[in-house]
Amino acid sequence: MTELTKRDYFADFDILRDPYPYFEAIHTEDGVFHDEERDIYFVTGFDPVVQSLLDSDRLSSGIAVFGAKDIPKFGQDGADVRTELAEFRKQHPMFDLLVNYDGQEHSNVRSLLSRLFTPSRIKSNEEYMARLADEMVAEAVSEGKAEMVKGIAAPYVTLVIADLLGVPADDREKFREVIDKGPPAGNMTENDERSADATLIYLGGFFMRYITERKAQDMGDVMSELAHASFPDGTTPDILEVVKASMFLFAAGQDTSAKLVANSVRYLAENPAMQDHLRDNPSDLVPFIEEMLRLEGSTKATFRLALDDVKVGDTIIPAGKPMVITLAAANRDPAKWEQPAEFRLDRKKGNQHVSFGRGRHTCIGAALARAEVKFLLETLLRETTAIVLDETIHGDPQDRQLTYEPSYIIRGLEELHVRIEGKR
């Protein structure tokens, strides 16, 4: 068997199923590991990860969507990394989204979106989130079973963000189907004919129409605000930029929120005592969700490109080298967390995890994601007396059969079947 540190993180399905032994194996004293065969730097330590996320001037997010493996070699023979990266981005306009932006470009577009995720706006959406959770859980309880990923969590988060944005009801299911059929972010499946470009182009056509309509007539929704918004300096964004921002809002957080719900339900299904505790103490759902974000957050990694020679930990990362910022490894760094692989509801400063990032690229929808997960789990626990994994599908605890989405970015199950006992 190939030594664990020599294995290919981007293609190894054993690592996909359980990435934590790999992250532990590559964790070094200074928190930086150089995969020499692929010439990629993995940042695993908590402090180096935070440092890397905060250093947005020298570490570019320009490869965040593409990953660190299937990209050109930058900075060869003294070539200017910034110029080469700009050219690379021009070649992939549909993938050039907020998550890839740096500097003023990023600040401008983020300013458009940040006003849409204010506490008051999320508060105003809570009635809809609660009502939708009630409806979906009631149906699952009546059937005595549920598939948590595509059956409940994914439709739930899709409908929540669609309602917030103002996506017409008739289009919501179409979008869900197209997103479900598309490849995952960080797709590990070789020769996969599914096209991420096709998914983005399909969504883009609809959102271009939505924004154009709202430029002509304000409809009193979030997309109307985006259609008439301006950058901080008073200039008007190009309509394509507004369309991409709207599309990014709709699509970006759905998969990660849905996977976090499923990861959480799996943990609860295998820990009935925790279910009972949270039913009796619903206020503990807040630290429960934070600990799940730390221990089984739905984003394993993000990516950066060194624009200059940068010292991270004790390692000099040369300009032009790609970096894997392993959020999941940082969240289990023993230098930061006591017994990091253990779930501890009372963990001190558990909310200091990096599952939503840090710095300029901190997840803009973090508050909404927390609210979505809280409402759905709260309702599921309130309306049930027991949630267990369906062992006819997932096997018994000694031979658990779970399939993970083939992604080196996302940590999430493709499906999770549970049996449910409702309140008598």
Side-chain angles (χ1 to χ4, degrees):
M1 180 178 289
T2 305
E3 182 184 344
L4 194 51
T5 59
K6 301 293 186 184
R7 292 163 76 170
D8 185 354
Y9 169 75
F10 300 93
D12 193 309
F13 276 69
D14 286 334
I15 294 176
L16 170 71
R17 284 183 283 272
D18 185 5
Y20 304 111
Y22 174 77
F23 290 147
E24 186 174 343
I26 67 171
H27 185 68
T28 62
E29 186 175 343
D30 76 335
V32 179
F33 170 74
H34 184 204
D35 181 339
E36 295 182 1
E37 181 177 343
R38 298 163 190 88
D39 202 12
I40 295 172
Y41 289 81
F42 285 75
V43 185
T44 62
F46 184 87
D47 288 340
V49 161
V50 171
Q51 174 196 338
S52 300
L53 294 173
L54 293 178
D55 192 354
S56 54
D57 292 329
R58 298 182 298 168
L59 301 179
S60 172
S61 298
I63 62 168
V65 168
F66 305 98
K69 186 179 181 184
D70 297 322
I71 58 173
K73 297 289 186 182
F74 293 98
Q76 300 292 295
D77 301 320
D80 182 72
V81 177
R82 289 171 174 82
T83 301
E84 290 184 324
L85 179 59
E87 286 299 316
F88 175 67
R89 287 176 54 190
K90 287 179 183 177
Q91 296 168 18
H92 304 277
M94 289 306 296
F95 287 94
D96 206 19
L97 302 169
L98 176 65
V99 69
N100 273 4
Y101 291 174
D102 293 319
Q104 192 59 48
E105 183 182 28
H106 174 265
S107 298
N108 281 341
V109 177
R110 190 177 175 97
S111 74
L112 298 179
L113 304 183
S114 59
R115 70 191 74 178
L116 308 179
F117 284 99
T118 61
S120 61
R121 187 178 294 280
I122 293 173
K123 185 75 174 177
S124 68
N125 202 230
E126 286 184 354
E127 181 181 344
Y128 177 76
M129 284 191 268
R131 184 172 72 253
L132 182 61
D134 286 343
E135 292 171 1
M136 299 185 80
V137 169
E139 182 177 351
V141 168
S142 70
E143 295 182 1
K145 62 181 181 179
E147 193 288 297
M148 288 302 307
V149 181
K150 294 181 181 177
I152 291 184
Y156 178 78
V157 298
T158 298
L159 291 170
V160 167
I161 190 63
D163 181 72
L164 185 67
L165 281 171
V167 173
D170 291 345
D171 293 340
R172 296 174 187 181
E173 187 55 35
K174 297 177 194 173
F175 290 173
R176 184 68 255 163
E177 290 175 2
V178 169
I179 292 171
D180 283 346
K181 291 177 181 177
N187 189 12
M188 294 172 64
T189 305
E190 291 186 7
N191 304 316
D192 193 334
E193 295 181 356
R194 294 177 296 172
S195 169
D197 295 70
T199 302
L200 291 172
I201 291 169
Y202 180 85
L203 292 176
F206 281 87
F207 278 92
M208 178 63 80
R209 173 165 60 84
Y210 299 153
I211 297 300
T212 301
E213 291 172 346
R214 285 157 175 79
K215 276 188 172 293
Q217 180 181 358
D218 192 320
M219 298 183 184
D221 55 21
V222 166
M223 280 194 287
S224 293
E225 288 189 37
L226 279 171
H228 296 279
S230 58
F231 289 141
D233 64 2
T235 58
T236 301
D238 180 82
I239 189 170
L240 181 58
E241 198 61 70
V242 179
V243 168
K244 290 198 296 182
S246 303
M247 190 170 63
F248 177 80
L249 275 185
F250 179 77
Q254 289 191 32
D255 198 33
T256 50
S257 293
K259 294 297 193 288
L260 179 60
V261 169
N263 292 349
S264 300
V265 172
R266 179 206 170 180
Y267 181 86
L268 289 171
E270 294 183 324
N271 293 274
M274 181 60 71
Q275 289 184 47
D276 293 340
H277 174 85
L278 293 175
R279 289 188 182 98
D280 294 337
N281 304 274
S283 63
D284 278 350
L285 258 177
V286 172
F288 172 82
I289 292 169
E290 296 305 318
E291 184 68 346
M292 284 306 306
L293 281 162
R294 186 194 69 81
L295 197 65
E296 280 284 348
S298 46
T299 303
K300 291 181 286 192
T302 186
F303 306 93
R304 296 291 186 268
L305 184 72
L307 300 176
D308 304 303
D309 292 354
V310 179
K311 185 177 181 180
V312 179
D314 294 326
T315 301
I316 301 295
I317 299 177
K321 299 304 180 184
M323 301 164 60
V324 184
I325 313 300
T326 52
L327 308 177
N331 283 338
R332 293 183 178 222
D333 182 355
K336 173 68 177 178
W337 316 100
E338 182 181 333
Q339 298 299 317
E342 290 183 6
F343 182 99
R344 292 186 177 182
L345 189 62
D346 61 350
R347 186 176 293 278
K348 293 181 180 179
K349 300 181 179 179
N351 62 356
Q352 290 185 358
H353 58 76
V354 290
S355 295
F356 290 123
R358 282 284 197 284
R360 295 178 184 176
H361 280 273
T362 298
C363 176
I364 200 166
L368 178 63
R370 285 182 167 105
E372 289 172 330
V373 176
K374 181 176 180 292
F375 273 108
L376 199 48
L377 293 181
E378 190 174 58
T379 306
L380 187 62
L381 289 165
R382 186 183 67 237
E383 299 302 323
T384 62
T385 58
I387 306 163
V388 298
L389 293 189
D390 187 337
E391 295 190 350
T392 65
I393 297 173
H394 295 303
D396 60 39
Q398 287 71 44
D399 186 30
R400 196 61 89 202
Q401 303 295 314
L402 297 167
T403 303
Y404 284 86
E405 186 172 75
S407 168
Y408 52 75
I409 295 176
I410 302 298
R411 171 66 172 170
L413 295 160
E414 288 202 313
E415 59 180 12
L416 183 71
H417 297 265
V418 296
R419 295 192 175 276
I420 298 169
E421 290 184 18
K423 295 189 299 186
R424 295 181 178 84

